Structure formats: C-alpha cells, structure tokens
Amino acid sequence: MIQKLKGTRDILPEEIKKWQYIEEIAKSTFEKYGYEEIRVPVIEKSELFQRGVGEDTDVVQKEMYIFDDKGGRSVALRPEGTAGVVRSYIENGMSSMPSPIKLWYAMPMYRYENVQKGRQREFNQIGVELLGSGSYLADVEMIEMINTFLEKLNIKDIELKINSIGCKKCRSEYMEALKDYIRPNLDKYCDVCKNRFEKNPMRIIDCKEENCKALNQNAPKSVDYLCDECKNHFENLKKMLEKQNISYSIDTSIVRGLDYYTKTVFEFVSKIDGLTVVGGGRYDGLVEELGGEKTPAIGFATGVERLIDVFDKNNPDFDKSNKLQLFVAYIGEEANLYSSKLVSNLRKKGIYVEKDIMERSLNAQFKYANKKNAKYIVTIGENEINTGKAELKEMETGETKEIDLSDIEDILKKQI
Ligand code: HAM
C-alpha cells in the first residue's frame, strides 16, 4: 500500500467540520474589518522566497521544497504566504487601489521540517496581509482583530507577546552590540548559533537550547536600540493596546524566523504547550525588496493545525453540537415515501436529518441511528401517517414524548 508522505496528514470527514467552522469564523471576522480573500499559487520561482523570506533563514536554507521544473527553472513550493501575496500585490498593480489593501488567505504551506508535535511538512495557514499603512494604528487594529477571531473561537489558553526589532537603520547598531556581547563566548554556543553569528546574529536570541538561553540572559535587547521613529511607533502601539484593554507582555526574545520583519513583531503563544499559534509583524521593506514601490505593511498567520489543538482543549463539546439531529425510521412502503418527504422538508429548513436509503429492516435502521449517535429518532408507520402523531425518542436519555409531526421542525429547532 502506498502511504502518505511523512509530515503530511489527511483531514478526514470527522474533523473537517471543525476546519470549515474555523475558516468560516476567519472569513466572517476578517470581512468585518474590510479584508478580502486572495489565493496565490502553491508554486513560485524560488527566487521569490530567497529574496523575500531571506537567503540565510532556516526556512529557505534548510526547509524549502525546491527543484528544477522540466523547463529548467528553479521553483519552490511556498513555505509561507507573505512573499507570494506581496508578489501578487506588485504584479497586479494593487498599489493604485485605495490604501490600505487588506487581504486574507487560507492556504497550505510546505516546509521540510523535522517532523514533531506542531511541526509538519505540509501544514495550513490562515493569514492576513495589510499593505499601505505604516501607522501603529494598523498594528493595533490587526492585533485587536486576532483577539476577536480567537474570542469567537472561544480560545482562551493563549497569550500575546510583542517586541520591536527596529528598522534597517537602528538594527545595524543593535546587531553590532549583540555580536560584541556574544563574541567572547561564541565557542560555548551551539553549532546552529555559531553559524548564525556572522549573517543573522539576531536569531541567536531566539535559540531554544538551554545552554544558549543561559548565555543569552544578559544580551542587549533590540528595544534599547530603537531609533526615534521606531521607538515612537512601539510606544504608541503599547499605549493604544492598553487603552483598548488588550493584554500583552513584552518578550524581547521574539525576533521571528523570517528576514523581512521590521519594527513590531508579535506572537500568540499557547499556554498549554508553549507553541506559537499565531505569528506576525511589520515588514515595511518587503514590497520594495521585491521590486515594488516603498510600501509599509503588516500581517500575521496562524497554523491551523496548532490552532485546532488549542481549540479542542477550549471547546470539548464542539463535536456534539454538530451531530445528527434526527433519524427518521420507517415501516412499509407508504411510510418510506412519507418519511422521505418529511426528511427533505426538514433539510430545507436547515436541520441535519437522515433516513434509511439502504432498504434495511427496522431493527437495522435503529442500529444505524445508534451508531451515528443521532440525537432523536422518530418511527413512521401506518398509524403515524393516519393520526399525524408520533413518538419522538431522545437517544441519550431514552425519554419519549408524543408529538404532532407538523410540530417537529419547531421542536428540533429549539434544540439546535
Ligand atoms: P511563521 O511564524 O513562519 O510566519 O508561521 C506562522 C504560523 O504557522 C506559526 O506560528 C505556526 O502556527 C504555523 N507553522 C509554521 N510552521 C509550521 C509547521 N512546520 N507545522 C505546523 N505549523 C506551522 C509566517 O509564515 C509569516 N508568513 C506570517 C506573516 C504573515 N507575517 C506577516 N504576514
């Protein structure tokens, strides 16, 4: 038997309702803030990610699915959504449309990772990109929107952490200070950190190795090296978050793994397992880097698989709310027709209801209803058709009550 590739997953029918629900909440929430959906190709020129995400990042260097196509072009499966969306923004002339441009997406991403909890090779992101506003107000609105999204999903076990990594100007001074701090102990750092020292020392701050974490304890912080503009931006952001009662903490170790970030970076971290569920930040230089006009921008993405992990812990009853409301069993040909019409009507009214389509015996119909965990069952025979009355049985409690079949829609709707 051919099995699926390591790090990929099938999303089976029993789970898909949750995916659809989360995507619906994302869509309805983001639309209220003026976002429109965009879909960009899975496959792009590899140069897009090399230039966009950064040649020296793990994502590009180690994790990208990259190959030559039959025409000899170097192409890659997208490891993230921002670079492709920005390419599309530039290529489709969106800068001439009223600013800011607000786009959202739900798309699969590909990274050749060491597969472990929360790290797959094919995973799904729901993300948004806001292009054209450099104001802290855009940062606040985005963070507030993520909070609304998480609240609507009843997700509580998650906390917001923010940091500012400054702009190109102030970062170079910070990088020098960081290198000066690390240099005397460089030989004590892990090999990954040693390799990052010259090209990407900021990522050393983000290392999860206990030894490196201890060495980093007194490392200089980017927030202490911000230029006036970046400092003002960060101060305004913090003040406005407080005014809007949005809780956050400052975590100076958040530097993010992709090179395009500037100024504000943020993560929503699961309190259950410490995994980052939502990650984002400003990328004021990316549009220009990819050949467009200088355009400030900010965005985020959440890994849907990680989001679902927290969602499950916070919504243990979600599956129950999606179960089969009613099974209509029947005895005899006339009742078959009657119940087919009844089921069809109820479905048109938005109720999830099933009846037998396997020509099974009454007993086998009951067994099936049981296996499908139907909430209620009603049995239609000659008597029920003549009187218009039937017994509605609640499967969990075994309780029965006589109802008028004409009232069944109202009775079920009250239960939803
Ligand atoms: P990222 O932090 O690389 O950012 O990924 C965002 C989220 O995707 C992570 O917080 C995590 O939930 C999920 N994720 C990442 N890698 C994996 C994986 N291997 N398996 C499962 N889930 C994963 C970005 O991708 C940026 N494009 C976000 C962004 C948009 N920044 C600005 N705009």
Side-chain angles (χ1 to χ4, degrees):
M1 190 196 68
I2 301 170
Q3 295 185 330
K4 62 183 177 307
L5 286 170
K6 189 175 170 190
T8 67
R9 288 183 50 203
D10 299 316
I11 304 163
L12 298 174
E14 67 216 44
E15 216 196 323
I16 208 78
K17 284 203 181 92
K18 214 178 302 175
W19 284 76
Q20 289 165 343
Y21 177 72
I22 288 172
E23 281 167 11
E24 261 169 47
I25 297 284
K27 177 176 185 292
S28 64
T29 308
F30 302 163
E31 278 177 359
K32 305 280 180 313
Y33 287 78
Y35 284 84
E36 292 176 298
E37 188 179 353
I38 185 166
R39 300 182 192 188
V40 294
V42 171
I43 194 163
E44 298 266 8
K45 288 183 183 161
S46 37
E47 189 194 347
L48 173 69
F49 303 111
Q50 284 154 349
R51 269 173 55 194
V53 175
E55 194 78 71
D56 298 320
T57 56
D58 280 356
V59 169
V60 167
Q61 234 174 41
K62 298 187 195 152
E63 296 166 3
M64 201 151 74
Y65 281 89
I66 182 169
F67 56 95
D68 288 346
D69 71 7
K70 289 193 170 30
R73 300 168 201 91
S74 178
V75 295
L77 302 187
R78 62 170 173 238
E80 60 99 55
T82 312
V85 170
V86 169
R87 181 212 34 78
S88 175
Y89 169 88
I90 301 167
E91 199 167 339
N92 293 293
M94 288 189 223
S95 62
S96 61
M97 287 149 71
S99 262
I101 299 288
K102 292 176 164 184
L103 304 163
W104 78 275
Y105 50 84
M107 308 190 293
M109 308 291 163
Y110 301 84
R111 295 184 192 176
Y112 195 79
E113 298 244 27
N114 277 330
V115 178
Q116 49 186 291
K117 186 176 183 307
R119 285 200 187 281
Q120 292 171 225
R121 291 184 177 165
E122 182 189 64
F123 60 99
N124 291 272
Q125 281 187 348
I126 292 178
V128 319
E129 311 297 348
L130 182 154
L131 296 114
S133 172
S135 166
Y136 72 96
L137 292 172
D139 308 21
V140 178
E141 188 185 85
M142 185 163 291
I143 288 172
E144 194 259 319
M145 182 173 82
I146 302 170
N147 262 350
T148 305
F149 173 55
L150 296 172
E151 266 165 35
K152 282 198 185 163
L153 292 174
N154 190 36
I155 289 180
K156 297 186 185 88
D157 295 323
I158 206 162
E159 58 191 333
L160 167 63
K161 298 181 173 187
I162 63 169
N163 190 20
S164 175
I165 54 170
C167 60
K168 246 189 186 164
K169 236 183 348 181
C170 44
R171 195 171 316 151
S172 56
E173 198 191 327
Y174 172 58
M175 298 269 239
E176 281 318 309
L178 200 54
K179 277 181 163 176
D180 289 346
Y181 171 85
I182 295 167
R183 198 174 287 110
N185 288 318
L186 186 60
D187 56 331
K188 299 192 187 108
Y189 278 84
C190 72
D191 287 346
V192 180
C193 284
K194 277 183 197 137
N195 284 334
R196 283 175 173 160
F197 181 72
E198 278 308 331
K199 287 187 176 155
N200 212 347
M202 218 162 62
R203 294 284 335 264
I204 296 180
I205 295 298
D206 184 38
C207 183
K208 302 287 181 283
E209 292 277 327
E210 285 308 322
N211 189 42
C212 302
K213 264 166 67 177
L215 287 164
N216 283 336
Q217 228 164 30
N218 298 315
K221 300 177 170 101
S222 55
V223 283
D224 295 329
Y225 289 80
L226 299 179
C227 63
D228 286 347
E229 193 198 319
C230 291
K231 198 186 263 170
N232 277 340
H233 189 100
F234 199 45
E235 289 307 316
N236 284 332
L237 165 66
K238 288 189 291 184
K239 262 188 236 152
M240 194 68 161
L241 287 177
E242 276 149 35
K243 279 188 194 152
Q244 295 204 13
N245 289 328
I246 296 174
S247 348
Y248 69 90
S249 62
I250 295 175
D251 183 341
T252 53
S253 72
I254 294 179
V255 295
R256 312 276 305 130
L258 317 168
D259 271 359
Y260 48 63
Y261 289 110
T262 53
K263 291 185 179 163
T264 314
V265 284
F266 59 86
E267 292 185 348
F268 285 75
V269 179
S270 160
K271 289 187 202 166
I272 301 164
D273 53 18
L275 280 176
T276 300
V277 179
V278 180
R282 256 195 182 278
Y283 50 93
D284 290 347
L286 182 60
V287 179
E288 204 179 11
E289 173 66 39
L290 293 177
E293 290 160 31
K294 194 167 168 30
T295 310
I298 180 166
F300 76 85
T302 175
V304 184
E305 290 80 1
R306 291 192 195 181
L307 187 70
I308 284 182
D309 266 358
V310 202
F311 178 83
D312 281 345
K313 305 248 163 52
N314 286 271
N315 297 278
D317 289 336
F318 177 79
D319 287 336
K320 290 190 192 136
S321 62
N322 274 303
K323 79 177 192 183
L324 177 59
Q325 279 288 109
L326 175 71
F327 185 84
V328 181
Y330 67 89
I331 328 164
E333 211 28 58
E334 210 187 330
N336 180 18
L337 182 62
Y338 183 95
S339 50
S340 291
K341 285 183 186 160
L342 177 67
V343 162
S344 166
N345 266 332
L346 290 173
R347 284 175 178 156
K348 281 182 196 142
K349 301 283 165 25
I351 294 165
Y352 172 24
V353 42
E354 281 200 49
K355 83 173 268 289
D356 167 77
I357 47 168
M358 303 272 288
E359 302 185 41
R360 283 174 167 135
S361 71
L362 186 61
N363 235 340
Q365 291 181 44
F366 289 155
K367 269 194 195 152
Y368 174 79
N370 241 324
K371 279 190 194 147
K372 292 287 280 190
N373 280 324
K375 187 156 192 218
Y376 292 101
I377 188 162
V378 71
T379 307
I380 309 290
E382 210 178 314
N383 199 21
E384 283 74 16
I385 299 172
N386 291 337
T387 60
K389 289 182 190 302
E391 298 248 294
L392 184 71
K393 180 175 175 185
E394 186 168 4
M395 301 293 272
E396 207 173 290
T397 58
E399 266 172 42
T400 57
K401 65 175 170 192
E402 193 179 65
I403 57 155
D404 279 332
L405 280 166
S406 54
D407 293 340
I408 196 163
E409 178 196 338
D410 289 341
I411 296 170
L412 292 170
K413 281 219 153 147
K414 276 188 203 134
Q415 309 294 328
I416 294 176

